[in-house]
Amino acid sequence: MPPPRPHSPKPRRHTAFRKTLAPLALGTLLVGTLGVGSAAASQEEDPGPVRVSGAENAVDRTEIARTGVSIDLVEDDGTLLATASPGEVEEITDLGYGVADASPSVEAMHPDDGYTSYPEVVEHVEGLVAEYPDLAHSEVYGQSHEGRDLVAVRISDDPGVDQDEPEVLFTHSQHAREPLTVEMAVHIMDMLTEGYGSDERITELVDTREIWIVPNANPDGTEYDQSGDTWQNWRKTREPNEGSDALGTDMNRNWAHEWGCCGGSSGDPESSTYRGHAPESATEVEALADFVRSREVDGEQQITTAIDFHTFGELVLWPFGHTYDETTDGMNQDEYDTHQALGELMAGSNGYTPQQSSDLYITDGSINDWLWADQGIVNFTFEMYPSSPGDGGFYPPSDVIEEETARNEEPVLDLLGYADCPYRVIGEEETYCG
Ligand code: 3K0
Ligand code: CA
Ligand code: ZN
């Protein structure tokens, strides 16, 4: 561990704020993150949780994200929870922001058996397909880098065949350390199969839609995250990067729309927001993108609407992430309004905060931007429970699973309801779906 370099922050508005904070000892950060970093990365560069103060708006947050950290939460008072390596901590400090260690308590760090591991989710899918062969069908759409099956489940009447019905896509766990999202997939699958035949609304939706669930888009990352005595705080995939010891790509920076355009991702393999060496360079992104493209039938993308589930922060986000602008090339006013109205409708049910993705910070290469710009799919990112790190951050106790997944039943059913014509939400079905 090199001795901390003396910092000479630019005199700017953040310095006053900094004085009020305990200065971060880099040694403390290292000790605090020994259990959560990559075994392959050198310990010195292991990213760990930090609290950043002094960021006042999305521009400040983007400036901070540009150092390569992942911003994991924006708190009500503007404080950020982020995952940063010591080098990134130094950069953020040099920019004039305050940084403090935010290592979670040891109790919070033990993997919780109440969560569904990857082998368990595959087993759950097999059980579902066996119990409900007329409602659920699974497909392997590819293999992860380490050779795990990448699984998609279709729920519909006559699920083994393609029908001419609007399709909806739910994706989960692009980020390995967001295990509550896998529980969301389990909840959706169970809700739709168990409710069929008894719940009128669910029956109608299953009869008239084809619903795709990808319960874990990043199984290698998840398996690693849950492999030790403590959660590993792992975000990315696990594929080696040429010329670096650091493993993995941030899947949600590797999609092929305006990849790496706008300071919303990192080119450094050590970073937790590493965008990969090329768009779709991550095995798991390419496979999922191919799967989405395969849903184009007779020149028409069958999938009309989608949600990509993440944690945490309790947000409903919509594209674009690569620009602060609401409307731009590839997003006209009606299209923006449709995203906003549907996003606000769903947030009205689950109590999350609705906003454009870039209101948080700029991201480039996100699934959101690609699904809309490249595939024309009206789509959202949900940041699930909790809203604060005090409630467990990425790893809340498993006894919240039932309540926090049930919380999204209504938004999921709402989105399924609009899948035949999302523009109906702004009263424009004649124009776009007539
Ligand atoms: O589209 C978005 O703004 C994605 C937000 C997401 C991300 O990829 O940065 N937030 S997370 O990493 O804390 N789940
Ligand atoms: Ca179809
Ligand atoms: Zn995420």
Side-chain angles (χ1 to χ4, degrees), residues 162-165 167 210 295 302:
D162 181 51
Q163 297 171 287
D164 189 16
E165 296 171 338
E167 302 186 16
E210 293 175 42
R295 299 315 307 148
Q302 302 295 295

Side-chain angles (χ1 to χ4, degrees), residues 63-135:
E63 180 179 56
I64 291 163
R66 213 175 271 239
T67 66
V69 305
S70 65
I71 294 178
D72 306 324
L73 182 76
V74 182
E75 298 191 306
D76 287 344
D77 67 358
T79 304
L80 311 182
L81 198 71
T83 306
S85 68
E88 290 161 350
V89 166
E90 211 166 292
E91 274 187 64
I92 298 167
T93 309
D94 286 349
L95 288 168
Y97 299 95
V99 186
D101 183 25
S103 298
S105 62
V106 178
E107 316 83 77
M109 293 305 294
H110 288 279
D112 182 329
D113 286 347
Y115 281 98
T116 308
S117 69
Y118 194 67
E120 285 167 352
V121 89
V122 170
E123 203 178 308
H124 190 87
V125 165
E126 285 167 0
L128 195 84
V129 168
E131 193 177 345
Y132 301 98
D134 297 336
L135 294 179

Side-chain angles (χ1 to χ4, degrees), residues 70-73 174-175 177-178 235 250-253 264 273 308-313 315 317-321 356-363 366-369 380-383 394:
S70 65
I71 294 178
D72 306 324
L73 182 76
Q174 283 203 86
H175 291 147
R177 64 185 173 192
E178 301 174 8
R235 173 178 169 98
D250 182 348
M251 287 182 68
N252 210 27
R253 301 293 184 276
T273 56
D308 185 44
F309 285 93
H310 288 251
T311 65
F312 58 102
L315 306 170
L317 306 172
W318 55 81
F320 282 123
Q356 186 177 340
S357 162
S358 57
D359 287 350
L360 206 51
Y361 44 80
I362 293 286
T363 54
S366 76
I367 191 172
N368 262 186
D369 285 11
F380 302 86
T381 288
F382 276 26
E383 296 280 359
F394 293 116

